[in-house]
Amino acid sequence: MLILFAAGLLFWSSIGALLSTLPLYIEDLGGSKQQVGIVMASFAVGLLIFRPQLGELADRRSRKIVLIIGASVAAIAPLGYQIFTSIPGLIALRAFHGISIAAFTTAYAALVSDIAPAENRGEVLGYMTLTGATGLALGPAIGTYIQENASYTLLFNTTAILGLLSLLFVLPIENFPVSQDLSEDNGAESIWQIYKSPRVRVPALTMLLIGLAVGTLNTFIPLFIKSIHVNFDCGLFYTIAAVSSLVSRFFTSSGSDRIGRGIFVTLGLIAYTLSMLLLWQANNDFSFVMSAILEGAGGGTFLSTMDVVIADRSLPQERGRIFALCVVGFDLGIAIAGPLGGSIAEQVGYHNMFGIAGALTFSGVIIFLTLSSKTLINSLQFAIGRGDDDFAYRDVQKAPLFDPQENYPVLSTTGIAAE
């Protein structure tokens, strides 16, 4: 577990180092607001195209193979930013870079869910996904410091080295294959059949809406701060958000096991909405600090708890695929957010762009309150922590998929979802 945690921390530090610096790099190369949005959003193209296939590969072969793919791309892609300096070249490279997250996050979440016992799955997943929060706190601070005090060349080399170190930590991880018994039913349903199921549809839809907001924020915060001439370090925004996410996960992780998943998903959606509305009215340092705190808290509650909800709603032999298909909603949101946000910013300005993002996340609150379970009443009860998840599997996953000591499958595939 510690080796896996270290691999995740290095991976996210590599990704985070470019969040606050790449938009400025693209602008320095002569890119317009819309071109910045398109290049940044191209990251999600790799996610959208490859995540479903990588999820299926994680189920059919092993989680480790997909982890290796993700870490390898994270080590290679940053070197290309020094070579491909045209907008079309950067779009293609950014799309390739997106494969790293498609692979690494899908396999990482599936592997941790496999190992974690069902009774404290929220706690284990919450602590193991601290890698994202911590890496996204360290990465932007490292990236901004290098960009301001050294050069873009050193920045890109550093992010590549972090990706390489992540790969070196992945290699010693035990290669737990999913047995034929566990994988024989995998792929029996088409993608659209899976999306028709409310156990997948509502998580994917709320992830889409949050992806739109997060993609808008990640792409345009550096340029927004610069445009209104506020003396606030954009790297600090990401660092505050990541620290807030880290802190919130300590409360969310064990809390979702004791209180229920739904209340934390709802609180996360509300936090995202308040963060966007603060940016809508932002004109001073305090507004950005509070928005960063709320955005981080939203990620620490919504994203980490939704991982657990997806794990609860999936069988081991399909878990990689279900994770991939739910999270692809988040990817699609990020893909749309860049060019769409750039167009909106050109027409109505950055402030109103974030106001629209806040309206989208608020619609996510309404959707989850009303559609998260089989009936309206059950949905409301689940969403406020007063009821169970109708779509969670009850009689399966009472033990981890792999015995941590013996390294072989110990979980049967029998079990029926709660009616």
Side-chain angles (χ1 to χ4, degrees):
M1 277 289 197
L2 287 176
I3 293 175
L4 184 59
F5 187 93
L9 179 60
L10 289 161
F11 174 84
W12 282 111
S13 296
S14 174
I15 298 297
L18 295 179
L19 278 180
S20 59
T21 53
L22 198 55
L24 299 173
Y25 176 67
I26 299 165
E27 190 177 61
D28 288 345
L29 291 175
S32 66
K33 291 183 178 69
Q34 191 167 18
Q35 286 174 327
V36 170
I38 291 170
V39 172
M40 294 301 291
S42 298
F43 196 81
V45 174
L47 294 171
L48 286 167
I49 294 173
F50 291 99
R51 196 189 285 274
Q53 290 89 340
L54 290 165
E56 188 167 347
L57 179 64
D59 287 335
R60 290 190 178 277
R61 294 290 301 278
S62 76
R63 319 303 195 201
K64 181 178 178 179
I65 291 172
V66 183
L67 283 173
I68 289 173
I69 293 171
S72 297
V73 175
I76 295 168
L79 301 175
Y81 292 110
Q82 304 170 63
I83 301 170
F84 301 99
T85 56
S86 67
I87 296 300
L90 288 171
I91 289 171
L93 180 62
R94 193 70 178 152
F96 171 70
H97 203 170
I99 297 172
S100 64
I101 287 187
F104 197 93
T105 57
T106 299
Y108 187 93
L111 179 57
V112 174
S113 298
D114 292 342
I115 297 171
E119 61 270 15
N120 65 336
R121 179 177 291 136
E123 184 175 11
V124 174
L125 259 173
Y127 288 140
M128 289 300 290
T129 54
L130 284 174
T131 57
T134 308
L136 292 177
L138 295 173
I142 294 169
T144 300
Y145 179 82
I146 295 173
Q147 182 257 335
E148 290 179 350
N149 296 281
S151 66
Y152 283 116
T153 298
L154 181 60
L155 169 67
F156 297 137
N157 289 340
T158 301
T159 55
I161 289 170
L162 290 170
L164 177 61
L165 290 172
S166 175
L167 175 61
L168 294 177
F169 274 93
V170 166
L171 293 177
I173 293 172
E174 289 288 341
N175 188 25
F176 297 123
V178 179
S179 74
Q180 286 301 114
D181 289 340
L182 291 177
S183 62
E184 60 186 1
D185 295 325
N186 197 37
E189 292 182 290
S190 72
I191 289 176
W192 298 116
Q193 285 176 315
I194 293 173
Y195 276 134
K196 284 181 182 179
S197 170
R199 69 173 175 136
V200 175
R201 186 175 64 245
V202 171
L205 181 56
T206 53
M207 294 284 269
L208 167 64
L209 295 168
I210 293 303
L212 285 166
V214 172
T216 300
L217 186 148
N218 285 343
T219 301
F220 295 105
I221 273 290
L223 302 177
F224 178 37
I225 293 172
K226 183 179 177 180
S227 71
I228 62 174
H229 307 293
V230 173
N231 188 24
F232 186 80
D233 185 350
C234 63
L236 182 61
F237 184 96
Y238 293 112
T239 300
I240 291 171
V243 171
S244 175
S245 176
L246 190 152
V247 172
S248 67
R249 286 168 194 259
F250 283 106
F251 297 98
T252 303
S253 299
S254 58
S256 71
D257 291 325
R258 293 182 289 103
I259 302 171
R261 322 296 193 203
I263 183 63
F264 292 102
V265 173
T266 303
L267 291 174
L269 288 166
I270 292 171
Y272 271 124
T273 301
L274 293 175
S275 175
M276 295 302 115
L277 295 180
L278 272 172
L279 290 176
W280 179 37
Q281 299 295 318
N283 56 16
N284 54 45
D285 289 4
F286 180 75
S287 300
F288 287 106
V289 170
M290 291 305 300
S291 176
I293 291 172
L294 286 166
E295 196 270 337
T301 51
F302 173 80
L303 293 176
S304 62
T305 308
M306 191 56 78
D307 278 349
V308 189
V309 171
I310 295 167
D312 289 345
R313 293 181 176 194
S314 59
L315 294 167
Q317 67 267 28
E318 63 176 0
R319 186 165 289 144
R321 197 173 189 216
I322 297 299
F323 265 115
L325 293 178
C326 285
V327 180
V328 84
F330 187 78
D331 303 338
L332 179 60
I334 293 175
I336 296 171
L340 181 62
S343 298
I344 293 172
E346 294 279 5
Q347 299 297 319
V348 299
Y350 290 120
H351 282 100
N352 290 328
M353 177 187 68
F354 285 114
I356 293 170
L360 291 172
T361 55
F362 181 70
S363 68
V365 177
I366 302 303
I367 289 169
F368 192 74
L369 285 172
T370 57
L371 299 173
S372 59
S373 280
K374 292 185 176 180
T375 67
L376 175 60
I377 296 300
N378 287 5
S379 294
L380 286 169
Q381 290 177 335
F382 175 56
I384 63 173
R386 298 293 183 181
D388 294 328
D389 183 358
D390 287 345
F391 299 110
Y393 285 87
R394 307 294 183 207
D395 300 323
V396 76
Q397 301 164 328
K398 296 300 182 183
L401 175 60
F402 299 106
D403 186 311
Q405 302 300 320
E406 301 295 336
N407 298 336
Y408 58 82
V410 297
L411 181 64
S412 73
T413 59
T414 59
I416 302 173
E419 296 297 330

